[in-house]
Amino acid sequence: MEYASVVADGDGYAEFSREQWRDLRKNTPLTLTEDELEDLRGVDDPIDLAEVTDIYLPLTRLLNLHFTGSRQRGAAVGAFLGEPGVHVPYVLGIAGSVAVGKSTTARLLHTLLARWPEHPRVDLVTTDSFLYPNKVLEERGIMHRKGFPESYDRRALVGFVADVKAGRAAVDAPVYSHLEYDIVPGASQTVRRPDILIVEGLNVLQPAPPDALAVCDYFDFSIYVDARVEDIRSWYVDRFHQLRRTAFSDPKSYFTHIADLSDAEATEFARNVWRDINEVNLVENIAPTRGRAGLILSKGSDHSVERVRLRRT
């Protein structure tokens, strides 16, 4: 099979059309049903089983091969140190904009990877869990910059992934409620020596400040979910209307006041939030990290992946 070698953001990538990438599935079986996909699908995300077959089955085959290679390298280091059998979790990072579909990608890979016999224990943690509580954001005057790099407890996030990577028996992460738009006091998610840990979030590919480590320093592989800004803007507004009709109507929702807006008012509100917050974060912080990813999924305006770029170096 022929593919085009391209250069993106200073790094060498092999680029595949959807058809070329689909051919790399080989004999990877489809282990997902339509009903299961419906449960994994994000709000207003039209992903179907054809997308799973064409894009995600080849991707899970690649990740399985990469996992196996990583495990072999870990065994070699363990043998050198006289520590055979040391379990080192494989860490996968998934980045991308708000509304681009990265959460669906993360949930889908979580399910598919756990069905490979080589790595049945797969955990998924989102960086939302490491946002500072709203009270802290308000005290610091950065509530309007929620989702920007400074709104996360970077040290806690890095420490969490470092502890998982080091093989600690049990590592706790905070829990974030999208309904209440805040960290849940006293709640935690416990990760217990997984074969694979998936870390999904807006800024997971951000480089570290001087003399510090970034969460991506612990990644074995990383994925960036990409699309044109104007398409993501449209998806964001559509998703906002869907949430207004569903989650925002819950009396417990932080955004319950938005449910009563007219369609025109809601559209204007969503466009302003996108323009003033999410697009700024995307352009200034998220998109510049795209070239750090091991693989880039590039979506078209219909939300389907049109091409895949895999770093060769």
Side-chain angles (χ1 to χ4, degrees):
M1 182 184 67
E2 296 182 354
Y3 53 85
S5 179
V6 300
V7 176
D9 298 320
D11 292 315
Y13 284 83
E15 181 171 308
F16 303 85
S17 67
R18 185 184 179 99
E19 292 73 23
Q20 290 170 325
W21 184 254
R22 180 184 59 205
D23 291 342
L24 294 172
R25 170 191 174 185
K26 302 300 182 184
N27 296 319
T28 306
L30 176 62
T31 58
L32 196 71
T33 67
E34 181 61 52
D35 287 343
E36 289 173 321
L37 180 59
E38 178 64 30
D39 291 337
L40 298 171
R41 189 181 285 122
V43 176
D44 218 38
D45 189 335
I47 188 171
D48 56 19
L49 285 179
E51 183 90 346
V52 174
T53 300
D54 292 353
I55 303 301
Y56 290 96
L57 293 188
L59 179 52
T60 58
R61 175 173 174 257
L62 170 66
L63 291 170
N64 181 66
L65 291 169
H66 202 265
F67 170 89
T68 300
S70 176
R71 184 59 60 88
Q72 291 171 346
R73 290 192 299 273
V77 173
F80 173 73
L81 297 174
E83 300 174 348
V86 174
H87 178 81
V88 180
Y90 180 94
V91 182
L92 170 64
I94 300 178
S97 170
V98 168
V100 79
K102 68 183 181 306
S103 295
T104 298
T105 293
R107 289 191 295 268
L108 186 53
L109 289 177
H110 177 217
T111 299
L112 292 173
L113 289 171
R115 294 179 179 179
W116 284 75
E118 293 87 348
H119 34 72
R121 292 178 298 167
V122 182
D123 279 309
L124 168 61
V125 172
T126 71
T127 59
D128 287 344
S129 295
F130 293 91
L131 283 162
Y132 286 114
N134 288 352
K135 181 180 178 181
V136 174
L137 297 176
E138 289 167 354
E139 289 172 349
R140 297 185 180 185
I142 57 172
M143 188 67 180
H144 64 292
R145 290 178 67 82
K146 194 169 188 176
F148 284 67
E150 64 269 26
S151 66
Y152 294 90
D153 188 342
R154 188 192 63 81
R155 181 174 296 181
L157 173 59
V158 171
F160 168 81
V161 177
D163 285 344
V164 173
K165 192 74 171 176
R168 281 189 53 186
V171 187
D172 290 336
V175 172
Y176 183 82
S177 168
H178 286 276
L179 182 67
E180 299 177 17
Y181 198 58
D182 203 354
I183 298 295
V184 180
S188 63
Q189 174 187 354
T190 302
V191 174
R192 304 181 187 276
R193 287 182 177 164
D195 296 309
I196 298 176
L197 173 67
I198 300 173
V199 181
E200 176 257 308
L202 300 172
N203 294 294
V204 295
L205 294 177
Q206 283 282 324
D211 301 321
L213 288 172
V215 65
C216 61
D217 291 325
Y218 294 94
F219 292 170
D220 293 283
F221 196 78
S222 57
I223 298 168
Y224 186 94
V225 184
D226 195 23
R228 290 177 288 271
V229 173
E230 55 270 26
D231 288 333
I232 308 176
R233 180 192 304 118
S234 176
W235 300 338
Y236 176 80
V237 173
D238 290 344
R239 188 182 75 169
F240 186 88
H241 279 289
Q242 182 66 19
L243 288 170
R244 187 170 63 92
R245 293 188 291 269
T246 54
F248 291 172
S249 63
D250 190 317
K252 296 180 181 179
S253 172
Y254 180 87
F255 296 103
T256 187
H257 60 285
I258 293 174
D260 295 329
L261 296 178
S262 68
D263 286 347
E265 291 171 332
T267 296
E268 182 180 7
F269 183 91
R271 287 175 176 170
N272 289 341
V273 171
W274 172 264
R275 183 194 64 226
D276 298 338
I277 299 175
N278 294 312
E279 186 169 345
V280 175
N281 196 17
L282 171 59
V283 172
E284 293 183 357
N285 300 304
I286 303 168
T289 69
R290 177 176 48 212
R292 299 170 62 86
L295 181 138
I296 301 171
L297 298 174
S298 297
K299 291 187 170 186
S301 58
D302 63 352
H303 235 300
S304 66
V305 175
E306 294 181 334
R307 60 194 175 106
V308 178
R309 296 158 70 195
L310 175 64
R311 184 187 289 161
R312 302 184 63 189
T313 57

